Amino acid sequence: MTRLRPVLAISAVFGLLAALPAKTFAGVARALSVDDLVTQSSLVTVGTPLSSQSQWELIGDQKRIVTRTRVHIDQIIRGQASSELTVSSLGGRVGNIGQIVHGEAALALGRPGLMFLRADQSAQYRVTGRSQGYFPLRADKQVGWRLAVSPGLSHLVVGKVRPAASELAGLSLREAMVRIGAAARR
C-alpha cells in the first residue's frame, strides 16, 4: 500500500492538469466598443512605427520599463497631429532585462497600423485601451489594407458592448474609416 500512494498522488496531479482548459489567457480586460475608442481618443491615425527606445522610469513607487516609439503619421482619420509623434507603452527591454505587460499594444516597427491614441500630460501619446486600440494593417491585393487583431489582445469581458476588435478586425481600412466616422458623429 505504501508503494501505491505515490503512484496515486502522481496520477491525481496529472488528472487535474488534464482537466484544465486548453486555452489560457495572460490578461483580461473590459471590452471597448468602437464608440468607446473614438470618444476616449484625441487622435485616430494610420501610422508606421519607425524606431523605439526603452528605459527605466519611476511610475508611482515602482521602477518600470517604458518604451517610447517614434511613429510616422501616414494618414489622420480624426484629430490633429504633426507628421511624427511619440507613443509610450509599458514594457520592453533594457539591457538583458525585459518586462512584458499583458494586454499592452506592441507596435511593430516598419509595419503600419490603425491607432486610437490619447495624449498624456507630457504631450506624448498612449494607445487607447492598450491593445484594443491598435490594429496592425495587412496588405490585401483587392482592398489595399485590411485590419488585423492586435497580437497582444487580452481576453475581453464583453458584457453588453460589441468589442471593437471583433467589429473592426477583417475590415478594409476604408470600411473601418467609415465605421469610425459614424461613431465620431454620434
Side-chain angles (χ1 to χ4, degrees):
M1 184 69 170
T2 58
R3 292 182 187 203
L4 188 58
R5 283 186 184 169
V7 172
L8 289 174
I10 291 172
S11 297
V13 168
F14 281 113
L16 288 172
L17 290 174
L20 291 175
K23 188 172 184 180
T24 59
F25 299 98
V28 177
R30 182 182 63 83
L32 297 175
S33 67
V34 173
D35 291 351
D36 293 333
L37 288 175
V38 168
T39 58
Q40 294 175 25
S41 299
S42 53
L43 179 64
V44 181
T45 185
V46 173
T48 302
L50 301 174
S51 63
S52 66
Q53 182 177 351
S54 300
Q55 62 189 38
W56 288 101
E57 292 188 16
L58 192 62
I59 298 177
D61 59 349
Q62 294 184 338
K63 283 184 80 173
R64 303 289 304 263
I65 295 177
V66 175
T67 298
R68 289 192 174 34
T69 304
R70 188 170 58 96
V71 175
H72 178 267
I73 301 303
D74 301 319
Q75 182 176 3
I76 295 176
I77 297 169
R78 182 171 183 263
Q80 295 180 352
S82 60
S83 62
E84 285 189 8
L85 53 82
T86 301
V87 176
S88 298
S89 56
L90 296 175
R93 178 179 279 303
V94 175
N96 60 358
I97 298 176
Q99 286 184 343
I100 296 172
V101 177
H102 297 288
E104 186 70 74
L107 307 182
L109 295 182
R111 299 197 144 177
L114 173 68
M115 301 174 203
F116 292 83
L117 302 171
R118 59 183 168 79
D120 64 16
Q121 300 87 343
S122 61
Q124 293 186 8
Y125 290 88
R126 293 192 176 277
V127 177
T128 306
R130 298 184 180 221
S131 58
Q132 292 184 67
Y134 172 60
F135 295 85
L137 297 179
R138 305 284 183 241
D140 183 304
K141 291 179 183 178
Q142 295 178 345
V143 297
W145 293 109
R146 194 169 292 283
L147 278 66
V149 174
S150 180
L153 189 65
S154 297
H155 175 71
L156 300 176
V157 177
V158 177
K160 294 181 180 182
V161 302
R162 182 168 183 214
S166 62
E167 190 169 341
L168 294 178
L171 294 181
S172 70
L173 179 56
R174 183 178 309 266
E175 292 167 326
M177 290 171 59
V178 168
R179 177 63 188 95
I180 292 164
R185 287 188 294 277
R186 283 194 257 278

